[in-house]
Amino acid sequence: MNYQKKMVVGSSWKIYFKSITKSIEYIEVLGKNLDFVDESKLEIYTLPDFISLGAISTLERNPLIHLGAQDMFWEDQGPYTGEVSPLLLKDIGCKYVYIGHSERRIYFGENDHTINQKVLAAYRNGLIPILLVGETWEEYKAGQTAEVLRQQLGIALEGIPASFLKELVLVYEPRWAIGKKETASREVIQKSHLLVQEAIGQLYGQDMSSVARVIYGGSVNYDNSQDIIKIPEVDGLAITRGALDPAEFVKIIKLVAQEAGERAGRNNQG
């Protein structure tokens, strides 16, 4: 199946920003520096904390910046203290939502089955899941990466139709590379992205193996993104600390935009 994928690049703020003022300044600076972006080839998202997300949603901002949430609950409404409904996220203009980040697994007890409930909730409410998958250091050293990715994707995507794969964004983020000075090697990233594609092929048929966009996350910054984004199987980047400065984020976006343009050119020639 040959078609042009729209690449994706985004930033998640986690809870690094200490004021709404700082969050608003970030969006304003970012929005003033995206005149080079062709949205037919590249999509940009940013995931503020929930408090900042509400404030930012009321701003007149650059339409190239798509908002998303860092998490949500799997029910639309009900007695779920402290949770956030997908209906509310949709209502304030969110397009994307992170689901399955390893920190949610580690600190809040999420598992493949609760992640599946959230993916289904996003799907039925018109939100695009940014679904994160990846292995631990112990699993990586034991050679279990393929098995882990198959299990995570097989459960998380249960009930999701093949027609939704073009919208879906998958993030391969090895849990052992998060927050480290060094990211995974080019060889590991390429092999693991191929394993994600292989798992999708097993779930939906081989002709669908490369339909979903698979982006890379895990200690991404401007320096290493120059090499990572050139890997053919990498459809974009998911960044946290390397994008907390909007000027640095713009620099990374430019790299991805250039690669998106080059891929579109090669696709047209082919």
Side-chain angles (χ1 to χ4, degrees):
M1 181 173 293
N2 183 26
Y3 73 98
Q4 178 62 38
K5 292 184 186 179
K6 182 187 288 189
M7 297 187 73
V8 186
V9 62
S11 66
S12 173
W13 303 356
K14 301 190 180 180
I15 56 170
Y16 282 108
F17 290 175
K18 298 179 180 179
S19 72
I20 294 176
T21 299
K22 173 69 174 177
S23 301
I24 291 173
E25 288 175 353
Y26 182 103
I27 293 295
E28 289 176 342
V29 172
L30 180 61
K32 292 176 181 177
N33 292 279
L34 298 177
D35 55 318
F36 59 89
V37 174
D38 180 350
E39 198 174 25
S40 70
K41 301 180 180 69
L42 175 65
E43 192 146 303
I44 301 164
Y45 71 81
T46 192
L47 312 179
D49 60 84
F50 280 124
I51 301 297
S52 297
L53 178 60
I56 291 168
S57 70
T58 66
L59 299 176
E60 288 189 18
R61 65 183 186 279
N62 190 321
L64 292 171
I65 303 171
H66 296 282
L67 293 182
Q70 297 177 26
D71 187 38
M72 67 173 197
F73 195 57
W74 58 75
E75 295 289 354
D76 296 351
Q77 61 181 6
Y80 306 106
T81 301
E83 293 294 340
V84 174
S85 164
L87 293 177
L88 289 176
L89 297 181
K90 186 70 175 178
D91 188 56
I92 65 172
C94 283
K95 181 173 183 177
Y96 288 108
V97 58
Y98 253 23
I99 298 177
H101 194 283
S102 63
E103 290 163 359
R104 300 296 308 178
R105 292 176 181 266
I106 294 168
Y107 302 128
F108 302 102
E110 292 194 9
N111 57 47
D112 295 331
H113 296 283
T114 56
I115 288 166
N116 173 244
Q117 289 179 282
K118 292 186 179 186
V119 171
L120 291 171
Y123 172 66
R124 71 172 179 264
N125 285 293
L127 295 166
I128 297 176
I130 302 175
L131 174 61
L132 296 103
V133 295
E135 77 282 19
T136 65
W137 176 250
E138 292 76 16
E139 291 164 340
Y140 170 70
K141 294 299 288 183
Q144 297 173 337
T145 299
E147 178 184 345
V148 170
L149 294 176
R150 282 196 300 269
Q151 175 177 311
Q152 290 177 347
L153 289 166
I155 297 175
L157 295 177
E158 186 174 350
I160 296 298
S163 59
F164 193 56
L165 290 179
K166 288 185 180 181
E167 300 295 323
L168 190 70
V169 177
L170 303 176
V171 183
Y172 170 65
E173 187 172 63
R175 292 168 63 174
W176 47 270
I178 297 172
K180 301 296 191 295
K181 291 183 179 180
E182 297 294 332
T183 192
S185 69
R186 179 186 177 96
E187 292 73 25
V188 167
I189 295 171
Q190 183 169 33
K191 180 179 179 181
S192 298
H193 278 237
L194 286 169
L195 290 173
V196 171
Q197 291 182 359
E198 180 181 299
I200 293 295
Q202 291 172 345
L203 291 170
Y204 291 97
Q206 193 57 41
D207 62 335
M208 302 297 290
S209 63
S210 61
V211 169
R213 295 172 290 180
V214 186
I215 70 177
Y216 179 75
S219 301
V220 176
N221 54 47
Y222 174 71
D223 291 335
N224 60 36
S225 64
Q226 300 178 66
D227 188 44
I228 296 171
I229 201 59
K230 291 294 184 181
I231 301 171
E233 292 76 17
V234 173
D235 300 314
L237 299 170
I239 315 149
T240 298
R241 288 187 294 180
L244 293 177
D245 179 342
E248 286 296 300
F249 189 28
V250 169
K251 288 167 60 178
I252 297 173
I253 294 171
K254 285 183 177 178
L255 291 174
V256 182
Q258 180 179 352
E259 178 64 20
E262 292 175 1
R263 292 188 188 187
R266 290 195 295 269
N267 189 69
N268 291 335
Q269 291 174 2

